[in-house]
Amino acid sequence: MLILLPPSEGKASPRRGRPLDLPSLSFPDLAPHRAEVLDALVGLCTASPPQDAAQVLGLGKTQTEAVAANARLVRAPTARADQVYAGVLYEALDLASLEGSARRRASGWLAVTSGLFGLLRPTDRIPAYRLSGDVALPRIGTVSTYWSRRLDDAVRAAAGHGLVVDLRSTTYASFWRPSPEQARRVVTVRVLHEVRGARQVVSHFNKATKGRLVRSLLEDGDAPHTAARFADHLGALGWKVELGTGGRHGTRLDVVVSDL
C-alpha cells in the first residue's frame, strides 16, 4: 500500500543536525530535479528584496524571516520529515508515538508530496522551508506543473502492485495523476463533516480526521488491494464510509464524521 499525504505549511525548524544532502533522500532519481527547484528557490530568496520574494512565495509582507530561512536552506540543519512537518494532519497522525511494526509500516507506506522535494518518505532528513505547490518560481514555473511531469516513475515504483490511497489536498493532487490503467488501483479519500444532516468539508477537521485515519491503518497493518476491500476494511475499523464510482483519477471514498 502507498498512502500519499500533503505536506504541511507549518513546519518545525530543526535546531541542530547535518545539512541537506539531496542524494541521500528517498527516490534518488528525483535528485537533479530537487537540485533545480532548490537552486531556483534559494536564488529567489537571495537575489530579490525580501518583500518581493515574499510576494512571489505567497507570504505576507511581514514574513520576511521565511524568505531569509529559504536563503539558508543549503546549510540549514535537517531533521526527519515526520518531525519537520507540524500541521494538523501530522499532529493527529503523531508518527513519533507509533511503536514497532506500525512505525515500520509508516516508513514503507507513507509518501509526502513536497513543493521543494517532489516526493519524500517520513524518514528523509529535510530543513524547514516555505514553498507551496501553487508558487511560480523563476526558471521553474508553477511548482505543481513542474513536478507533475516528473513524479510518475517514483510513485509507480513506490506503489508497486498495491493500492494507492490518496489523501492529498487539491494543490498537491495535481503533482501526480494516475494513468487510466493505474486509476483502477487508486482510492481518493474525502472527509465530510456531518452536522444536522448536512455534509461539508471543514479544513481543520478534514486534516485531523485524515491523520487519525492513517494512524489507524498503520496500527492495524492490513493492506487491501482493491478499492472495495479498502472501504470494507475501513468500515471494520469503525469508520463510516461511502464508496463512489471510479473516475479518471481513481475511486472516490467519502469518510463521514459527525462527532469530532
Side-chain angles (χ1 to χ4, degrees):
M1 180 184 291
L2 175 66
I3 302 175
L4 292 175
L5 299 176
S8 64
E9 182 175 317
K11 299 178 181 70
S13 297
R15 294 185 178 181
R16 60 178 63 89
R18 61 179 182 268
L20 180 63
D21 179 17
L22 291 180
S24 73
L25 300 180
S26 302
F27 314 106
D29 288 349
L30 298 178
H33 310 309
R34 291 164 171 157
E36 190 173 15
V37 178
L38 177 65
D39 184 64
L41 178 61
V42 171
L44 168 71
C45 295
T46 302
S48 302
Q51 294 82 359
D52 293 349
Q55 184 175 16
V56 171
L57 295 173
L59 304 174
K61 294 181 179 179
T62 61
Q63 293 180 288
T64 54
E65 75 284 352
V67 174
N70 277 349
R72 298 190 298 268
L73 283 176
V74 173
R75 60 183 185 277
T78 63
R80 289 169 51 119
D82 59 11
Q83 297 171 354
V84 173
Y85 291 123
V88 173
L89 186 155
Y90 290 90
E91 290 176 356
L93 175 53
D94 193 13
L95 287 173
S97 68
L98 290 175
E99 297 180 354
S101 57
R103 192 171 181 86
R104 290 191 293 273
R105 289 187 200 104
S107 299
W109 286 9
L110 302 185
V112 183
T113 47
S114 161
L116 180 53
F117 300 107
L119 201 66
L120 292 168
R121 292 295 193 182
T123 54
D124 286 326
R125 296 186 64 89
I126 62 171
Y129 65 93
R130 290 297 294 268
L131 180 63
S132 177
D134 56 6
V135 167
L137 284 176
R139 306 190 309 277
I140 293 294
T142 303
V143 171
S144 59
T145 302
Y146 178 89
W147 285 117
S148 71
R149 299 165 180 160
R150 293 164 171 86
L151 288 188
D152 189 61
D153 287 346
V155 175
R156 284 177 176 271
H161 297 292
L163 192 69
V164 177
V165 180
D166 191 351
L167 297 168
R168 297 172 298 166
S169 55
T170 301
T171 296
Y172 293 94
S174 62
F175 277 44
W176 175 79
R177 299 289 193 187
S179 67
E181 175 272 329
Q182 181 93 4
R184 292 178 294 179
R185 292 189 289 109
V186 175
V187 176
T188 301
V189 177
R190 181 177 68 164
V191 175
L192 298 177
H193 185 204
E194 189 172 55
V195 180
R196 294 185 293 275
R199 295 177 178 180
Q200 57 185 320
V201 177
V202 181
S203 178
H204 178 90
F205 295 131
N206 168 65
K207 295 173 183 177
T209 300
K210 286 181 176 179
R212 293 198 302 272
L213 186 149
V214 173
R215 185 181 179 90
S216 69
L217 290 171
L218 295 173
E219 290 178 330
D220 175 78
D222 196 13
H225 279 69
T226 68
R229 290 182 179 178
F230 180 73
D232 290 342
H233 181 57
L234 284 186
L237 292 177
W239 296 90
K240 181 179 178 180
V241 299
E242 297 177 2
L243 190 64
T245 57
R248 61 181 297 186
H249 301 313
T251 301
R252 195 183 77 192
L253 187 147
D254 289 340
V255 175
V256 182
V257 182
S258 56
D259 183 11
L260 296 170

